[in-house]
Amino acid sequence: MRERRAFQNARRAREFEAFVAGAAGRLLHAATLLTAEPPNANPRARRLLTLALAHTYASWDRLRGEDPYDRARQQLAVRFARAAWHQYGALGRSRPAPSPSGSGSGSGSGSVAVLARLTPQERLVLVLRMYEGVAEEQTAALLGLPVERVRAICARAMTTLLHPPRGPAPTMAKVVPS
């Protein structure tokens, strides 16, 4: 009995290692986009990914034909939403100020500064819909929102990204009548 259990645990570990080897890079990139951290300094994204993968590993035997990538992505989204809820009071109520570390040199730092302008909810919907290719219905079910709301959030996020707010209007010089 012990040998059988040891064999099953070894098989489970090998399967999970193969899954992580193939999916960890894409999941880490998604987590980095969600947290709006620079790709070379992303401790929150790495922690988010580690927790999501730990949960996926814990439920590995119960997947039964379910896609482990979908489960890991779902855990990533749920954990990000929960963390954003605790950090900002409500998911999407305030826009975090972009950190000055995101404007440095490095690959992808420009996209980080752009994503930092979005609320956490907008980032979550945008990453799920545009980067991960999740359907509106699935995104709505995952977040517990109506499909129309997901569509509106995605449209607002895309508008913010494509048409960034301008700086303050130039002041007009006062003309004094002579």
Side-chain angles (χ1 to χ4, degrees):
M1 187 68 170
R2 281 186 187 169
E3 292 173 4
R4 182 178 179 198
R5 186 69 180 157
F7 177 74
Q8 288 176 343
N9 286 340
R11 181 184 50 82
R12 174 185 179 192
R14 281 193 311 272
E15 289 175 354
F16 186 73
E17 285 175 9
F19 162 70
V20 170
R26 185 170 172 90
L27 286 170
L28 179 60
H29 187 68
T32 303
L33 291 174
L34 286 173
T35 58
E37 295 175 313
N40 52 358
N42 53 2
R44 286 181 46 224
R46 289 178 185 275
R47 177 155 171 74
L48 199 63
L49 177 61
T50 302
L51 293 172
L53 288 176
H55 187 274
T56 304
Y57 182 72
S59 63
W60 191 259
D61 290 334
R62 295 184 304 266
L63 289 178
R64 300 193 182 156
E66 195 177 329
D67 185 12
Y69 186 84
D70 286 340
R71 176 67 65 95
R73 179 178 55 212
Q74 179 182 6
Q75 276 301 310
L76 197 66
V78 167
R79 287 186 180 276
F80 174 75
R82 188 177 301 133
W85 180 272
H86 289 294
Q87 185 175 3
Y88 299 111
L91 189 60
R93 287 219 177 132
S94 65
R95 293 183 188 273
S99 63
S101 62
S103 60
S105 64
S107 65
S109 62
S111 63
V112 170
V114 170
L115 287 174
R117 290 194 310 247
L118 301 175
T119 65
Q121 187 178 44
E122 289 171 341
R123 271 197 314 262
L124 180 58
V125 169
L126 195 68
V127 168
L128 287 175
R129 291 281 298 123
M130 299 301 153
Y131 179 70
E132 289 291 326
V134 179
E136 285 178 342
E137 295 81 15
Q138 289 176 323
T139 303
L142 179 63
L143 300 178
L145 297 172
V147 176
E148 296 80 20
R149 180 77 178 129
V150 169
R151 192 175 300 130
I153 292 169
C154 190
R156 185 176 62 228
M158 288 299 293
T159 301
T160 302
L161 291 179
L162 295 175
H163 307 290
R166 296 181 188 172
T171 57
M172 298 292 292
K174 293 185 180 182
V175 177
V176 179
S178 49

